[in-house]
Amino acid sequence: MRHLRSLFWATAICGTLALPSTSLAQGIYLPGAGAVHGSMGGASTATPLDAIGALYWNPAAIGRLGRSEASIGGNVLFPDIGVSSSFPRPDGSIASGRTRSDNGVGLTSSIGIVHQPDESRLTYGLGLFTLGGGGVNYPGDPGNPILSPVGPVGQNYVGSIYSSLTMFQLAPTVSYKVTDRLVVGFGPTIDISMASFNPAFFASPNQVVGPDRFSSATHSRPFWGGGFRVGLVYSLTDHLDLGFGYTSQQWLEQWKFNASNARGEPRELTLDASLPAIYSWGLAYRGFDRCTLAVDMRYFDYANSELFGTPVPEGGLGWDSVFSIALGAHYQVTQRVAVMGGYQYNTNPIPTTATLFNIQAPAFLQNTISVGSTYNFTDCLSLSLGYALSFENSITGTAREIPGAGITMTASNQSMLFNIGIKFGGGTGRKSTCGPVCEPCAVMAESPTLAPVTAIPQQLPQ
C-alpha cells in the first residue's frame, strides 16, 4: 500500500501540471480516460474493464470489477483549432482571414484505485481524474478581422485571444453487493477548476477613448466545488448487464479574477459557473467467446448549468444540453494480449458562435474513433496503449460584440492513450499465482454473474 500511496500522489502532482488547451467532445468532458477506457469509446457504465473505467461514470461499477487494482493512465492531446472571420469594409469589399491556435501538446492524467476485500459485499474505490476543459491561444492577426489589433474597422478592440480551463475531480466511492445480480454504489465528488480568459468577454469592456478594450481575467486561484454520484449495475442474465449512473450538478464557488481597468485601477471580475448533471445508461454483453460488447448513452444537462447554459445576453455561453452514445468492444486474443475498439458520437452544445466568449471554449467535436491494446506482463501487471481521433468539425455564426462579423471555428484532435494496471490484494475469487510482487492477487469469481469481463481464460494460447 505504501507504493500505491506514492503512485497516487505522483499522479496528483502530474495532474496539477496537466493544463489541456484543446477542444473536447461531450462539451468540456473528455471522451474517456486512459488507454483501456478511452479505447472502448468511454463505454463503462455497465462493464468495468479497469479501475479507471469502473470509477468514471458509475460508482456501482467498481463492484463488478471483481478484483483489487490500481490503474494509472492519461491522454496526450494533439489539437488542431482555428478561427476565421469576415467583415465588410466601408468601401464595400470584405476583409477576411484565418488563424490557427497555437495550442501545443496537452496532457491529462487519471488514477483509479479499487479495493475488493475478501468475502465482503463492500468494494471501495478512489478516483482522481482530469475531467476535461479546453482553451485556445490565438495570436493577434491584422489579416483576421476579429483578431486585428484595432478590431473590425475600429470597433471593439480584440487582438490576441487566450483561454485555459482545466477541471479535476476526486471521487471516493463505495459499492454494495445487494444480491448476486444487483450492485449499488454511491460517492461524493470534490472538484477543482482553474480558469483564465484574456480578454474577459463575459464582462463589460473598459470605456476608453477610441475602441473599447476588454479587461484580462488571468489573475485567479483554484476554485473548489462538489456534488455526489449514485448508480447501480444489474445482471439481467449471466451474460447481459444493465447499468445506470447519475452525477449531480457540480456546485462551484464563484470564480473571481483580479483585473484592472484602462487606467490601471483595480477591478474585480466575477463569474458564476457549475458543471452539468450527467445521466448515464449502459448495457454490456459477454455472450461471445473472449469478447465483451458495451454501449453507453449519456445526457449532459448543460442547458441548466450556470455559465454554460446561461443565455448569451446575460454573459453566458448559451449552450444546449448534449446527448452522447459510446460503443466499445474488447477481445482477448491470447492469454496476454487483448485488443479494444470504440466509437463515440455526441450532439453539438454550441448551436452558433453567438458571442466571442464561445471562441474561448471550442467544445464542439462530435465524432471520435479509438483503438487500443493491452499486454499482460504477469497476472498482476499490464500495459495498455491506444489512439483516438476526433474528426474535424466546424460551426459558423456571428458575435453580439461585433455586429456584422461572420465567424467560423474549426477543431479536430488526436490523442495517444496509455495506462498501467497493477492488481493487488484480495478479491471475490480464489488466490492466483501472481508471485511475490503483489501476492495475493484476485482473479475472477466463481459466479458467472460476477466474473470480471477482463478475466483471462486459462485455455487461451500464450
Side-chain angles (χ1 to χ4, degrees):
M1 291 302 293
R2 181 182 63 184
H3 299 295
L4 291 174
R5 286 194 296 268
S6 299
L7 289 170
F8 174 82
W9 287 114
T11 305
I13 294 171
C14 180
T16 62
L17 299 176
L19 304 178
S21 181
T22 183
S23 176
L24 301 176
Q26 300 179 138
I28 55 176
Y29 282 83
L30 284 165
V36 177
H37 188 233
S39 296
M40 289 281 290
S44 64
T45 301
T47 175
L49 289 171
D50 73 334
I52 291 176
L55 286 157
Y56 210 78
W57 299 118
N58 181 4
I62 63 173
R64 282 292 193 243
L65 190 60
R67 62 180 183 269
S68 297
E69 179 181 291
S71 184
I72 303 167
N75 303 0
V76 182
L77 310 172
F78 302 88
D80 187 1
I81 305 172
V83 64
S84 59
S85 66
S86 61
F87 195 83
R89 294 189 178 100
D91 61 5
S93 62
I94 301 295
S96 63
R98 184 182 188 278
T99 307
R100 185 175 181 272
S101 177
D102 183 16
N103 287 75
V105 178
L107 171 68
T108 72
S109 58
S110 296
I111 183 170
I113 300 176
V114 173
H115 177 49
Q116 171 66 69
D118 291 322
E119 309 302 329
S120 175
R121 290 182 176 269
L122 292 171
T123 303
Y124 307 94
L126 180 65
L128 176 62
F129 309 118
T130 307
L131 283 182
V136 297
N137 183 25
Y138 290 115
D141 185 353
N144 193 338
I146 65 166
L147 299 177
S148 172
V150 295
V153 196
Q155 293 191 23
N156 290 353
Y157 168 90
V158 179
S160 61
I161 295 178
Y162 169 82
S163 66
S164 179
L165 172 62
T166 307
M167 303 176 305
F168 304 102
Q169 186 172 88
L170 182 67
T173 304
V174 63
S175 73
Y176 181 74
K177 185 178 72 172
V178 181
T179 69
D180 284 347
R181 294 192 176 273
L182 176 64
V183 177
V184 297
F186 170 81
T189 54
I190 302 171
D191 307 304
I192 302 175
S193 57
M194 292 185 287
S196 296
F197 307 99
N198 185 20
F201 294 126
F202 60 87
S204 59
N206 294 313
Q207 301 297 314
V208 297
V209 177
D212 293 339
R213 297 172 183 261
F214 290 92
S215 295
S216 173
T218 56
H219 294 60
S220 63
R221 58 172 176 80
F223 305 105
W224 292 79
F228 65 91
R229 305 188 304 161
V230 295
L232 63 86
V233 177
Y234 183 75
S235 296
L236 299 171
T237 71
D238 288 351
H239 302 295
L240 182 63
D241 288 345
L242 170 69
F244 171 74
Y246 170 73
T247 300
S248 74
Q249 184 179 76
Q250 302 295 293
W251 297 277
L252 307 177
E253 63 175 318
Q254 188 179 60
W255 296 355
K256 296 181 179 180
F257 304 90
N258 295 318
S260 58
N261 61 21
R263 294 182 294 276
E265 298 168 342
R267 179 188 184 191
E268 184 180 75
L269 305 180
T270 61
L271 193 58
D272 294 322
S274 64
L275 302 183
I278 304 172
Y279 302 82
S280 297
W281 300 265
L283 283 173
Y285 182 70
R286 302 188 304 277
F288 301 115
D289 184 34
R290 299 188 242 168
C291 183
T292 297
L293 302 177
V295 57
D296 274 18
M297 294 176 288
R298 264 181 292 282
Y299 182 77
F300 298 81
D301 192 15
Y302 285 107
N304 292 306
S305 63
E306 291 186 289
L307 175 59
F308 303 100
T310 302
V312 169
E314 298 176 18
L317 294 168
W319 285 11
D320 294 333
S321 294
V322 166
F323 174 77
S324 173
I325 183 168
L327 306 174
H330 176 277
Y331 183 72
Q332 195 72 45
V333 181
T334 71
Q335 184 175 354
R336 294 196 179 276
V337 178
V339 293
M340 297 85 71
Y343 168 73
Q344 184 186 100
Y345 168 81
N346 55 265
T347 57
N348 181 10
I350 310 176
T352 178
T353 50
T355 170
L356 292 177
F357 199 2
N358 269 321
I359 296 177
Q360 296 173 311
F364 50 86
L365 294 178
Q366 292 190 271
N367 293 277
T368 300
I369 59 172
S370 53
V371 294
S373 180
T374 296
Y375 183 80
N376 295 278
F377 295 99
T378 69
D379 289 347
C380 296
L381 179 64
S382 63
L383 172 66
S384 302
L385 298 174
Y387 170 79
L389 171 63
S390 297
F391 294 96
E392 183 175 291
N393 194 25
S394 65
I395 60 172
T396 299
T398 59
R400 68 185 181 95
E401 295 90 347
I402 307 177
I407 301 170
T408 298
M409 297 190 294
T410 61
S412 64
N413 187 66
Q414 300 182 71
S415 299
M416 299 302 297
L417 317 173
F418 63 92
N419 66 269
I420 296 174
I422 304 169
K423 304 176 184 67
F424 65 95
T428 58
R430 62 188 180 274
K431 186 176 178 180
S432 77
T433 57
C434 289
V437 174
C438 56
E439 188 174 1
C441 175
V443 294
M444 65 180 181
E446 299 291 345
S447 169
T449 63
L450 289 178
V453 296
T454 52
I456 302 173
Q458 295 301 312
Q459 72 273 19
L460 291 179
Q462 294 287 334

